[in-house]
Amino acid sequence: MTKQLFAPTRTAALERLQSFVPKAGAYASKRNYDISGHPHVSVLSPYIRHRVLTEVEVLQAVLGRYAPSTVEKYVQEVFWRTYWKGWLEMRPSVWSDYKQAVHSSWNDVQTQSGMRSEWEAACKGETGIDCFDHWAKELVQTGYLHNHARMWFASIWIFTLRLPWALGADFFLRHLLDGDPASNTLSWRWVGGLHTKGKTYLARPDNIAKYTEGRFRPTGLATHAEPLTGMPNPERSPLPEAGELITGARTGLLITEDDTSIGWIVDQVTPVATACLNASAHRSPLHVAPSVHSFTQDLISDGAARYSERIGTQAGFIDAEQLAQWANEQGLDQVVTSYVPVGPARDALKPAQRALSDKGITLTQLRRPYDTAAWPHATHGFFRFKDKIPSLLGRIRGVRLADSQT
Ligand SMILES: Cc1cc2nc3c(=O)[nH]c(=O)nc-3n(C[C@H](O)[C@H](O)[C@H](O)COP(=O)(O)OP(=O)(O)OC[C@H]3O[C@@H](n4cnc5c(N)ncnc54)[C@H](O)[C@@H]3O)c2cc1C
């Protein structure tokens, strides 16, 4: 049974942001502690993931209270998310290779009996490694894990239990309410040594004991983390062009899980009809937790409800295969949506985009200025990207909230 840590509304997200802001000054010194209730981190990721809150909004909130140097660490963590998004956007084959790896590892699990029981024990939290078992259960029950717990968990999965990394990433994606194709896939690759050549993350008992304040001190963990082989980083491809609105076109709006705050779109165009797409079931070929599906669904509905007077006739939720037919029935020339980044929603939309185009209807994906400014800098490692943070912050300082967020 999932314990509801995250109410699926913007109101709840704003309340959480407001309660975190006064604590942001202490984030740098305490953020690594994985303590019950997670008092030292913002616990905002399920909202940021679906853009109930945008990065700009969160950054402006902490920088409105503290000097940049005081909240530098927090700001950097938010930019880690941005970096991963941009990095994957320019290397989309990493996502398709990951999906392929899930399929082939899943085949192995089904055909190799020992492996099946080990995978099941890991997902059920029955490995006998107390901290790992605790985090497996916490993830399934709450849909959230602290960042340090995610790192330890992934490391133990890969180097101690020796299970395929892609199935670990898949387990996270099926249960995390913030499950994100970029942050999740790339963090798992990073732990396993696939992202930064030769660099892995080894979970150490002393580190776990220190940062769980003695709750756990596991024994029997791997003492060496040999980088995984295969799947080297591909060449970077150019960032896809963002769409441009066709003015005067009869326009429908599509709301997806990647951006549930549609104010910035309806400020630019008045849709005659709106449809919602929840592609969370596509996060995995296995069963995605019902809590993930319903959380995503509710956030999209909340986004639509906030603008109900400005979004025309509402079709409710449709499957991607129904999009072209819906658009045709509405007599649309254009379906506008917030840019859909690499991931399940884009996968679901690919055939739909072809079907739309066959009917002469354009799918226009508008990209937020923040993404357009930041993503191209994800060329190499995070440390090079980090150098761009001051200039990116300079750009968002003058951005009006009404344009950028809700
Ligand atoms: C193996 C692994 C898998 C992960 N999978 C996901 C995922 O599916 N979705 C996801 O949003 N994050 C993922 N992360 C990143 C990070 O663990 C979470 O974003 C963070 O723990 C969320 O908690 P918070 O909101 O309290 O974060 P805070 O520490 O309060 O940070 C504020 C915000 O910054 C961003 N952020 C913080 N740390 C990171 C990071 N290391 N990478 C990217 N963004 C970060 C998040 O949007 C977060 O909400 C993963 C990390 C690891 C090691």
Side-chain angles (χ1 to χ4, degrees):
M1 216 3 223
T2 304
K3 291 183 200 157
Q4 213 199 29
L5 267 186
F6 301 93
T9 63
R10 175 160 161 88
T11 308
L14 283 173
E15 279 168 11
R16 183 155 298 169
L17 175 61
Q18 274 155 18
S19 69
F20 172 70
V21 167
K23 298 194 288 182
Y27 177 83
S29 57
K30 297 186 173 169
R31 73 189 181 100
N32 279 328
Y33 287 89
D34 177 24
I35 309 294
S36 172
H38 309 299
H40 303 313
V41 289
S42 65
V43 203
L44 287 172
S45 50
Y47 299 117
I48 300 175
R49 154 66 176 101
H50 299 97
R51 285 203 153 147
V52 179
L53 300 174
T54 63
E55 291 89 334
V56 175
E57 190 169 23
V58 171
L59 291 168
Q60 285 186 340
V62 294
L63 289 165
R65 167 100 178 207
Y66 291 105
S69 56
T70 311
V71 286
E72 185 183 20
K73 201 71 212 170
Y74 187 76
V75 167
Q76 279 176 10
E77 292 305 313
V78 174
F79 273 106
W80 260 107
R81 171 185 158 76
T82 310
Y83 166 72
W84 286 138
K85 292 304 276 186
W87 196 94
L88 189 62
E89 211 52 45
M90 294 189 282
R91 296 153 188 94
S93 64
V94 170
W95 172 246
S96 30
D97 288 350
Y98 155 73
K99 289 198 300 177
Q100 193 52 47
V102 172
H103 274 286
S104 64
S105 302
W106 177 238
N107 274 344
D108 294 345
V109 164
Q110 284 174 305
T111 50
Q112 299 173 24
S113 59
M115 200 171 157
R116 179 164 193 120
S117 56
E118 283 162 25
W119 169 79
E120 269 178 6
C123 297
K124 287 183 182 162
E126 294 173 356
T127 64
I129 303 171
D130 58 357
C131 54
F132 183 93
D133 292 348
H134 171 87
W135 294 317
K137 289 175 187 154
E138 182 182 355
L139 171 61
V140 171
Q141 284 170 5
T142 67
Y144 174 87
L145 281 183
H146 183 280
N147 180 58
H148 223 159
R150 296 183 201 211
M151 291 163 65
W152 294 321
F153 186 97
S155 178
I156 296 170
W157 178 288
I158 296 170
F159 299 115
T160 299
L161 300 175
R162 302 202 152 271
L163 284 163
W165 75 272
L167 286 185
D170 173 73
F171 176 55
F172 268 25
L173 218 46
R174 285 186 290 118
H175 291 282
L176 281 171
L177 296 182
D178 64 28
D180 185 273
S183 289
N184 191 57
T185 314
L186 302 178
S187 297
W188 274 85
R189 289 178 91 253
W190 176 83
V191 170
L194 291 166
H195 183 75
T196 312
K197 212 169 179 335
K199 196 170 182 311
T200 53
Y201 179 76
L202 182 65
R204 295 176 195 276
D206 284 353
N207 182 264
I208 294 174
K210 176 175 175 187
Y211 288 108
T212 59
E213 294 191 332
R215 273 190 302 151
F216 303 110
R217 183 182 288 278
T219 53
L221 299 191
T223 53
H224 182 67
E226 188 62 26
L228 299 174
T229 52
M231 288 197 175
N233 292 339
E235 288 292 310
R236 171 163 47 98
S237 50
L239 195 61
E241 294 287 320
E244 276 185 36
L245 274 178
I246 309 169
T247 47
R250 188 174 159 85
T251 299
L253 171 66
L254 179 70
I255 311 177
T256 75
E257 70 221 52
D258 289 308
D259 193 342
T260 60
S261 289
I262 53 171
W264 74 289
I265 294 183
V266 296
D267 279 351
Q268 300 178 61
V269 65
T270 305
V272 293
T274 291
C276 302
L277 176 71
N278 177 0
S280 59
H282 295 267
R283 287 182 197 181
S284 167
L286 306 184
H287 183 65
V288 174
S291 51
V292 168
H293 185 80
S294 61
F295 180 73
T296 310
Q297 187 100 348
D298 291 348
L299 288 181
I300 297 172
S301 299
D302 183 65
R306 280 188 275 131
Y307 289 91
S308 57
E309 284 168 13
R310 294 170 64 189
I311 60 175
T313 321
Q314 283 189 58
F317 284 86
I318 60 171
D319 292 333
E321 308 88 74
Q322 299 170 305
L323 182 65
Q325 195 192 335
W326 167 78
N328 199 36
E329 282 166 7
Q330 298 297 324
L332 304 179
D333 307 313
Q334 162 176 251
V335 175
V336 66
T337 188
S338 186
Y339 184 86
V340 181
V342 172
R346 184 187 290 183
D347 296 342
L349 274 176
K350 229 175 244 164
Q353 191 162 5
R354 278 193 295 273
L356 281 170
S357 143
D358 288 347
K359 293 186 188 307
I361 305 167
T362 306
L363 180 67
T364 303
Q365 302 191 41
L366 298 180
R367 193 153 63 215
R368 287 181 180 263
Y370 172 86
D371 296 337
T372 296
W375 286 355
H377 296 301
T379 52
H380 295 78
F382 180 73
F383 290 94
R384 202 182 286 200
F385 180 83
K386 207 170 74 167
D387 291 343
K388 306 290 176 196
I389 293 178
S391 73
L392 291 169
L393 286 180
R395 281 171 177 245
I396 67 171
R397 224 164 257 142
V399 172
R400 282 192 307 123
L401 281 183
D403 291 340
S404 61
Q405 329 295 337
T406 60

